[in-house]
Amino acid sequence: MADAQDWTGIVAAATRAPSIHNTQPWLFAGAGDRLEVSFDPRRALPVLDPTHRQQVISCGAAVEFAAVAARAMGQDVEVEVAPASDHPDHLDHLATLRVTGQRAAGADDRALAAAIAARHTQRAAFADRAVPTELVDQLQAEAGAYGVWVETLSRSDAELTAVALLSRAEQVEQQDPGYRAELEQWLRTDPAALDGIPVDAVSGEDPATRPSNWLVRDFLVGQRAAGRPPAAGDDDDPPAVQRPTVLLLGTDGDDSRAWVQAGRALGRVLLRATAAGLAASPLTQALDWPATRTRMTVQLSIVGHPQMLLRMGWPTTPGRETGRRPVAEVLRPVE
Ligand SMILES: Cc1cc2nc3c(=O)[nH]c(=O)nc-3n(C[C@H](O)[C@H](O)[C@H](O)COP(=O)(O)O)c2cc1C
């Protein structure tokens, strides 16, 4: 049985989870052998994520990080996902972690836990080297344990469609003043910021000028210093074309429970990939708004619901660590 002190270390690991715009929309309450994980509506993104779907996914990733950390600390844990709530205002309690006993942590537990600190969203170009198919098989199996399916979109017929939908969604979002204001609200120039996206974690270049079919989200819309594009002399080789592996994660259902499960699977996939030396960055522009998300479901003939698009590959530069709020701000004792 864990006491309140034990939850501090586990919650510190949980807060390293990725979250949309690094909003960290989670709250934890620890009591004895239970840790409750809730959504914090005060950290909502009303324009980008009106249903809170991506924030609940973020909380699900935090649940998985907590479970991985607990197992590596020698605790057996069970996760109980709260019953579905499709009312956006009643998403408070999402999941409970319960310590059920002690265990001897194995090498795999330790490798996954070490990946918690090593993982960072990597938006830069990846090396021109394929993601091993055995690893993708493993990611599919591990996500499958949470009822989440994983498909590779790269080099499939679906790729062209998804690429076009993503580019169009990015364009439509950029034209929305509310979307741009929200982006700006979560962009940070202070390197010591405890939340939000540090400007140096995103490319200063316009993502549209990259030699890549997949467009990463542009966090600097309207703020990029008007500069000349890098001059390419006649003798310069053209930049290498980037064709990252892109994985689509989806679920059969589409309620808060399915979103928590999608987040747990995302957390697991990211830690497994990091432990294998890979890096990733979500590409969720075409899934932000219900209408564009429905378009993707229809045009890709998806049976079920798309939850996450993940660009994955071998990193060529170290990832940038982003800030986190201290545990004391997010962990409360159960009343
Ligand atoms: C549900 C979800 C959606 C995200 N969507 C995007 C995205 O569209 N583009 C992007 O560059 N990063 C995206 N991210 C990554 C977050 O910006 C990132 O997790 C956050 O800034 C914290 O940084 P870290 O992952 O390096 O710890 C997303 C993360 C989550 C959990």
Side-chain angles (χ1 to χ4, degrees):
M1 158 138 159
D3 57 22
Q5 186 57 35
D6 289 333
W7 289 123
T8 304
I10 290 168
V11 170
T15 65
R16 292 305 322 164
S19 60
I20 180 86
H21 285 9
N22 199 15
T23 45
Q24 304 164 43
W26 40 61
L27 282 175
F28 301 88
D33 62 354
R34 280 183 308 127
L35 179 71
E36 294 183 357
V37 185
S38 312
F39 166 62
D40 184 351
R42 292 168 303 178
R43 306 192 62 85
L45 294 172
V47 180
L48 181 135
D49 192 22
T51 61
H52 309 307
R53 185 185 62 84
Q54 298 194 67
Q55 291 201 308
V56 172
I57 290 179
S58 309
C59 292
V63 169
E64 180 64 16
F65 277 35
V68 164
R71 291 188 188 114
M73 289 175 193
Q75 289 163 349
D76 260 326
V77 285
E78 269 178 16
V79 175
E80 196 185 314
V81 179
S85 159
D86 52 12
H87 194 293
D89 297 331
H90 299 134
L91 288 173
D92 36 357
H93 178 222
L94 297 175
T96 303
L97 255 86
R98 207 161 55 80
V99 176
T100 53
Q102 302 300 310
R103 74 207 307 264
D108 193 55
D109 295 317
R110 285 193 292 273
L112 283 174
I116 290 176
R119 183 213 62 85
H120 305 295
T121 295
Q122 178 58 269
R123 301 177 182 90
F126 296 129
D128 184 19
R129 186 176 150 209
V131 173
T133 48
E134 314 80 68
L135 179 77
V136 175
D137 291 347
Q138 188 178 4
L139 300 179
Q140 284 170 331
E142 294 193 21
Y146 298 131
V148 176
W149 45 261
V150 178
E151 278 177 21
T152 310
L153 288 187
S154 326
R155 294 170 183 80
S156 72
D157 291 344
E159 181 173 26
L160 277 179
T161 309
V163 160
L165 287 170
L166 192 92
S167 303
R168 176 76 190 129
E170 172 77 33
Q171 209 177 31
V172 170
E173 288 188 320
Q174 286 190 12
Q175 284 160 5
D176 185 301
Y179 171 84
R180 292 201 307 270
E182 209 174 63
L183 262 188
E184 202 177 328
Q185 187 195 336
W186 288 95
L187 200 63
R188 300 285 181 264
T189 46
D190 174 1
L194 299 177
D195 62 9
I197 307 205
V199 277
D200 54 0
V202 300
S203 170
E205 281 173 321
D206 182 347
T209 62
R210 276 200 195 182
S212 173
N213 47 349
W214 294 98
L215 197 59
V216 297
R217 193 188 291 274
D218 187 358
F219 288 92
L220 299 175
V221 189
Q223 300 190 51
R224 193 169 292 101
R228 279 169 287 121
D234 288 345
D235 300 337
D236 289 349
D237 290 333
V241 169
Q242 300 160 27
R243 290 195 175 278
T245 292
V246 172
L247 303 176
L248 173 65
L249 278 63
T251 49
D252 292 346
D254 197 29
D255 51 22
S256 59
R257 210 182 145 87
W259 302 341
V260 173
Q261 293 293 66
R264 292 175 71 196
L266 171 69
R268 184 70 174 202
V269 161
L270 290 173
L271 293 180
R272 180 61 70 202
T274 304
L278 286 145
S281 72
L283 295 167
T284 57
Q285 303 95 311
L287 302 180
D288 292 340
W289 290 346
T292 41
R293 186 165 169 244
T294 303
R295 203 166 299 139
M296 176 160 286
T297 311
V298 172
Q299 293 196 14
L300 293 188
S301 306
I302 293 169
V303 181
H305 302 275
Q307 301 294 354
M308 166 60 63
L309 275 168
L310 206 54
R311 177 181 158 272
M312 189 175 278
W314 300 96
T316 53
T317 54
R320 159 70 155 93
E321 184 166 338
T322 52
R324 291 297 186 275
R325 293 182 296 150
V327 169
E329 237 180 72
V330 296
L331 174 63
R332 305 276 148 78
V334 170
E335 313 271 300

